[in-house]
């Protein structure tokens, strides 16, 4: 390759490199985004390495030690113990794992469904758009917590069914968001050029329209992670989610609320864990929104 060719390539790549640099620069100069990233990474690492970090790994299961019941925080039990004498610090670590499994399960199902329906509705006109938009609007009219409670009451309470209860309506917001973006992109000149060049519908949807939706999908998914954690904790608190003795942050609060205010640490620890995780995803989502300069 000649010097002239190298200069042409560098000149061609320069705008893309500059845009990527400016995007990262906006993110790196956002303190809230950096803090959110650190929190989310720490939550993920805690969930992965919970068996190694836990001080009493056996307390994850159905362990009872009545001699250690309701102990306040000390050097042996950093967050104290619960009504069964189990170490709360250990159970909070594994509670993060359950919360992240819920996030991965719910968003891993609802995001692809919502994105696919949104792309189809935004690209195709006529009956396809009317049917998907109408069905999405009907589902959006149902309060998500009410639907989750209804599904949770019908099915046996466990982690999988908690995922299903939340997923039933969660795809609707992604469908509506992607539909709005896809519909505006579908009328652009480069889409018409791709269509005239003989590109298939699949190619246009996945190679032309979808890349323009990635930024809003990323922001929405990150912010949704915080809401899924809250929803999962709410279902468990009401007895419709993960069941004891599996450590779940919501069920831990439910089991310990009767001992307030004397045994405050039994509620404070899982409550602060929920706050910590949701704060991290919210800050990270806000940082991504500022980085991509999008609205959700």
């Amino acid at each position: 390759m000649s010097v002239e060719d190298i200069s042409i390539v560098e000149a061609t790549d320069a705008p893309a490199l500059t845009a990527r640099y400016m995007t990262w620069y906006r993110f790196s100069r956002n303190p809230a985004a950096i803090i959110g990233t650190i929190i989310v990474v720490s939550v993920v690492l805690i969930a992965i390495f919970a068996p190694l970090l836990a001080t009493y790994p056996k307390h994850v299961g159905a362990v009872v030690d009545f001699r250690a019941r309701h102990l306040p925080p000390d050097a042996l039990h950093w967050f104290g113990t619960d009504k069964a004498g189990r170490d709360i610090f250990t159970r909070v670590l594994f509670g993060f794992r359950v919360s992240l499994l819920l996030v991965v399960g719910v968003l891993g199902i609802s995001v692809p469904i919502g994105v696919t329906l949104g792309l189809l509705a935004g690209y195709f006109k006529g009956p396809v758009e009317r049917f998907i938009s109408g069905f999405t609007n009907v589902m959006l009219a149902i309060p998500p917590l009410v639907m989750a409670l209804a599904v949770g009451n019908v099915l046996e309470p466990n982690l999988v069914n908690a995922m299903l209860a939340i997923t039933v309506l969660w795809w609707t917001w992604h469908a509506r968001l992607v539909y709005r973006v896809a519909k505006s992109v579908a009328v652009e000149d480069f889409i018409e050029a791709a269509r005239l060049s003989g590109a298939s519908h699949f190619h246009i949807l996945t190679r032309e329209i979808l890349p323009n939706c990635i930024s809003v999908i990323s922001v929405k998914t990150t912010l949704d992670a915080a809401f899924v954690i809250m929803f999962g904790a709410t279902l468990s608190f009401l007895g419709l989610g993960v069941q004891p003795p599996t450590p779940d942050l919501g069920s831990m609060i439910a089991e310990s609320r009767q001992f307030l205010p004397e045994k405050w640490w039994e509620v404070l620890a899982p409550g602060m864990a929920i706050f910590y995780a949701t704060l991290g995803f919210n800050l990270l989502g806000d940082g991504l929104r500022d980085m991509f300069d999008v609205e959700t």
Side-chain angles (χ1 to χ4, degrees):
M1 182 180 291
S2 65
V3 175
E4 292 79 4
D5 294 334
I6 295 175
S7 300
I8 293 174
V9 171
E10 291 179 347
T12 303
D13 293 341
L17 293 174
T18 301
R20 285 195 292 268
Y21 174 79
M22 291 304 298
T23 299
W24 167 248
Y25 181 83
R26 286 196 298 269
F27 184 84
S28 63
R29 290 298 183 271
N30 188 334
I34 300 301
I35 294 173
T37 302
I38 294 173
I39 293 176
V40 170
V41 171
S42 68
V43 170
V44 173
L45 291 178
I46 289 172
I48 294 174
F49 297 106
L52 301 178
L53 298 174
T55 51
Y56 297 88
K58 293 183 179 179
H59 288 195
V60 175
V63 174
V64 177
D65 184 3
F66 288 116
R67 292 175 298 179
R69 294 176 69 241
H70 302 306
L71 292 179
D74 56 24
L76 295 178
H77 304 283
W78 296 347
F79 292 171
T81 61
D82 60 13
K83 65 180 182 180
R86 297 170 299 192
D87 183 64
I88 296 176
F89 174 74
T90 296
R91 294 180 65 78
V92 166
L93 296 183
F94 281 87
F96 277 132
R97 173 176 288 190
V98 172
S99 295
L100 288 187
L101 284 175
L102 191 65
V103 169
V104 172
V106 171
L107 297 182
I109 297 173
S110 60
V111 173
I113 293 175
V115 169
T116 300
L117 293 177
L119 286 173
L120 295 175
Y123 177 69
F124 293 104
K125 309 300 179 183
V128 174
E129 179 183 10
R130 288 194 297 269
F131 174 77
I132 295 177
S133 298
F135 181 66
T136 302
N137 290 334
V138 170
M139 299 301 288
L140 281 170
I142 304 174
L145 184 56
V146 174
M147 175 61 79
L149 292 176
V151 174
N153 273 302
V154 172
L155 302 178
E156 178 185 356
N158 54 49
L159 180 61
V160 175
N161 290 336
M163 291 181 187
L164 178 60
I166 301 175
T167 306
V168 169
L169 289 178
W170 212 272
W171 61 269
T172 54
W173 289 287
H174 290 272
R176 171 61 66 85
L177 180 64
V178 173
Y179 164 70
R180 188 174 69 241
V181 177
K183 189 172 183 179
S184 63
V185 173
V187 298
E188 296 290 339
D189 292 338
F190 70 91
I191 299 297
E192 184 62 24
R195 188 181 294 112
L196 293 176
S197 67
S200 64
H201 294 314
F202 181 79
H203 174 88
I204 295 175
L205 286 169
T206 58
R207 300 296 182 86
E208 306 294 342
I209 298 180
L210 180 59
N212 288 279
C213 302
I214 293 298
S215 57
V216 293
I217 295 172
S218 301
V219 174
K220 178 65 174 171
T221 301
T222 306
L223 293 173
D224 278 358
F227 288 104
V228 170
I229 292 174
M230 290 294 296
F231 259 75
T234 301
L235 289 179
S236 296
F237 180 85
L238 297 174
L240 302 175
V242 180
Q243 298 298 298
T246 302
D248 178 82
L249 301 177
S251 61
M252 290 172 65
I253 295 176
E255 291 177 353
S256 303
R257 71 185 189 277
Q258 59 182 311
F259 303 111
L260 287 173
E262 290 81 5
K263 316 299 181 185
W264 51 267
W265 58 87
E266 299 182 21
V267 172
L268 179 64
M272 290 303 296
I274 294 173
F275 171 77
Y276 182 75
T278 55
L279 175 65
F281 281 109
N282 276 315
L283 290 178
L284 178 58
D286 289 339
L288 291 176
R289 180 165 53 195
D290 294 339
M291 181 180 73
F292 292 124
D293 192 21
V294 298
E295 296 181 1
T296 55

